[in-house]
Amino acid sequence: MSNQQHQSFEQIIEVNKSKIFRICRIYAVNPIEPEDLFQEVVYQIWKSYKSFKGNSSINTWVYKIALNVCIRSKGKLSKKNYKTARLDSIQFALEDKPKDNSEAIKYKALKSCISLLKDIDRSIVILTLEDLSYKEISTITGLSENHIAVKMKRIRKILLDCITSKIK
């Protein structure tokens, strides 16, 4: 890899590291920590970097690799009959601190409800929360934009029902 490509790779990781880590935190399961997943994602990006063809934005490509690595890691653990319970010790760093306890309760409920979704639905929600368009989500997941829109409508209802039951 040339020095120019190396610098570009470092810039890509720098720009996307917080997004990658948020995805890793959501998919981390015992005994895999989010930091381990993050390292695996960066390694896979490094391995695949030369083969990036530019058919999508580099950020979309990074999301796709991050989701695939995280989902594949979770699947490998499930196949080995490991417990897939979430680690209670993982703390999500809120970018904006909740102004009151009710915001923290809502955030915890949302996080809990998202973790109950199927992998593909969880991926769609994560990417939506990252402000990606349906077109970008479609590129990452391989689903049509229309399918994403339909799934998001259903997911919103599921999340609303789940959150409502948790914060009553």
Side-chain angles (χ1 to χ4, degrees):
M1 189 172 283
S2 73
N3 191 31
Q4 184 181 9
Q5 286 176 315
H6 183 69
Q7 287 176 340
S8 183
F9 173 78
E10 289 175 351
Q11 289 170 346
I12 291 165
I13 298 303
E14 185 62 32
V15 167
N16 290 285
K17 69 182 178 186
S18 62
K19 297 170 190 175
I20 295 168
F21 198 71
R22 280 192 296 266
I23 292 170
C24 292
R25 283 190 300 210
I26 290 175
Y27 281 96
V29 292
N30 191 16
I32 296 179
E33 296 290 336
E35 293 83 4
D36 297 332
L37 276 175
F38 180 85
Q39 287 179 0
E40 181 63 22
V41 169
V42 171
Y43 173 69
Q44 292 301 326
I45 293 169
W46 174 261
K47 272 180 43 177
S48 304
Y49 184 63
K50 288 181 184 177
S51 66
F52 175 66
K53 294 179 177 85
N55 296 336
S56 64
S57 78
I58 194 75
N59 297 337
T60 300
W61 180 74
V62 166
Y63 274 118
K64 187 171 187 170
I65 291 175
L67 283 171
N68 286 336
V69 168
C70 291
I71 290 170
R72 190 173 52 240
S73 293
K74 184 179 179 203
K76 284 180 186 177
L77 287 175
S78 295
K79 287 178 184 175
K80 292 181 181 179
N81 294 323
Y82 281 104
K83 241 181 163 178
T84 57
R86 310 264 321 141
L87 293 174
D88 291 333
S89 63
I90 296 175
Q91 297 295 319
F92 284 78
L94 296 173
E95 292 191 16
D96 296 321
K97 298 274 184 191
K99 294 181 173 102
D100 58 41
N101 195 34
S102 68
E103 289 298 314
I105 291 168
K106 290 175 188 175
Y107 177 79
K108 187 175 179 181
L110 175 62
K111 185 175 83 169
S112 173
C113 292
I114 289 172
S115 73
L116 298 173
L117 295 172
K118 295 176 187 173
D119 282 339
I120 189 64
D121 293 348
R122 188 178 318 139
S123 299
I124 292 169
V125 168
I126 292 166
L127 296 172
T128 301
L129 291 173
E130 290 289 334
D131 289 329
L132 270 66
S133 68
Y134 286 172
K135 183 175 183 171
E136 292 171 305
I137 296 171
S138 173
T139 302
I140 293 167
T141 62
L143 301 172
S144 72
E145 288 180 59
N146 188 47
H147 194 156
I148 301 289
V150 170
K151 284 183 104 21
M152 271 308 299
K153 185 174 181 178
R154 292 177 185 152
I155 292 168
R156 282 186 189 103
K157 168 102 173 82
I158 292 168
L159 289 176
L160 179 63
D161 291 346
C162 178
I163 291 168
T164 302
S165 70
K166 289 185 180 293
I167 60 174
K168 280 188 176 181

